[in-house]
Amino acid sequence: MITRFAPSPTGLLHLGHAWSAHLAHQMAKENNGTFLIRFEDIDHTRVRPEFYQSALDDLAYLEIYSDLTPIKQLDRLPYYQKALQQLQDLGVVYPCTCTRKQIQAELQNLSNAPHGPEGPLYPGTCRDKTRSPSHKTEPSWRLDTKKASKVTGPLTFSDKIYGTIEVNPHLLGDIILARKDIATSYHLAVTVDDAHQKITHITRGNDLLPSTHVHRLLQTLLQLPQPKYLHHPLVLDNHGKRLAKRHDSLSIKALIQSRKSPQDILNLASKNLSNP
Ligand code: GLU
């Protein structure tokens, strides 16, 4: 068994991260497995250098250590490029030059704009266009979910809490797999890296459940192994809202400063869990 915790060094880790890391670490240790940390730092506009070490320090306080040196996604861009190339060769991605404004305008014109769990989906404007050679700017690349699901056929994934789930390839629509500015995306990088690190069990918050539908498609298209999943309930604040970077009072740092023991921190997290 190999599990992982994959923080983005864009802020302080909070109570929710503590819970997520704890579950992945505990699962590995109870099964004589390996626990790994990976820094998801592709969004260089939001990453700050001090947050790498601060995450490791916070986890060390909780006695959570990576069994191998943590990897950084920014060191792995050529691998994401190669995966994108594979998808281009399969014909399941297309270039998109739409700006956010154009997408919004297009959505407003549609009487039945497509919707996903997180709001309106990309309406497919660039799907059937052939790329004209005169484009000045690099395009982003989107997954053509219709073509992709034809290639993969029906898929499922297995989750320890939710059981067997049928993949809905269209759940998040034709999402971006490579942004113009960073040439990859969370979805592409995470799929490539979970396979690279041979992760057998992915534990993460259930806010990422919709993303797993996309990841299963990508794993199949790229002929990568299929991990098992545990999408855990989220840690909520006192008002029942999910934690975000703004909750500095519930950062692990602040809790350490207020002399909470590692066990206090985990107890606090488990007391504040949402329903699945
Ligand atoms: N980097 C993501 C986050 O900080 C975690 C993604 C994952 O576990 O797949 O929310």
Side-chain angles (χ1 to χ4, degrees), residues 101-114 120 123 125:
K101 256 194 188 159
Q102 284 169 330
I103 296 175
Q104 257 165 17
E106 173 97 16
L107 286 170
Q108 263 157 19
N109 285 337
L110 291 174
S111 49
N112 55 346
T125 323

Side-chain angles (χ1 to χ4, degrees), residues 4 6-8 17 38 40 186 190 194 202-204 208 215:
R4 49 63 158 188
S8 301
H17 295 114
R38 170 174 80 226
E40 304 213 317
Y186 160 66
V190 94
D194 282 330
I202 294 180
T203 57
R204 59 184 171 203
L208 288 169
H215 302 173

Side-chain angles (χ1 to χ4, degrees), residues 203-214:
T203 57
R204 59 184 171 203
N206 62 18
D207 53 331
L208 288 169
L209 198 49
S211 297
T212 304
H213 292 251
V214 176

Side-chain angles (χ1 to χ4, degrees), residues 94-147:
Y94 59 88
C96 171
T97 51
C98 293
T99 61
R100 234 172 249 191
K101 256 194 188 159
Q102 284 169 330
I103 296 175
Q104 257 165 17
E106 173 97 16
L107 286 170
Q108 263 157 19
N109 285 337
L110 291 174
S111 49
N112 55 346
H115 261 74
E118 284 144 30
L121 300 176
Y122 179 66
T125 323
C126 285
R127 190 186 304 129
D128 301 318
K129 281 188 200 156
T130 42
R131 192 182 172 187
S132 90
S134 65
H135 277 314
K136 285 184 224 89
T137 52
E138 272 299 300
S140 48
W141 288 84
R142 290 184 178 273
L143 181 64
D144 187 326
T145 53
K146 267 194 203 136
K147 285 191 183 153

Side-chain angles (χ1 to χ4, degrees), residues 56-120:
L56 295 178
D57 293 344
D58 292 348
L59 294 170
Y61 184 77
L62 300 172
E63 288 173 52
I64 296 175
Y65 302 95
S66 184
D67 290 323
L68 297 173
T69 308
I71 65 169
K72 295 180 185 174
Q73 291 190 322
L74 269 185
D75 293 336
R76 297 186 32 79
L77 296 178
Y79 297 97
Y80 313 138
Q81 189 56 45
K82 210 170 123 197
L84 181 65
Q85 182 67 53
Q86 268 176 273
L87 298 172
Q88 287 167 340
D89 294 346
L90 281 171
V92 294
V93 287
Y94 59 88
C96 171
T97 51
C98 293
T99 61
R100 234 172 249 191
K101 256 194 188 159
Q102 284 169 330
I103 296 175
Q104 257 165 17
E106 173 97 16
L107 286 170
Q108 263 157 19
N109 285 337
L110 291 174
S111 49
N112 55 346
H115 261 74
E118 284 144 30

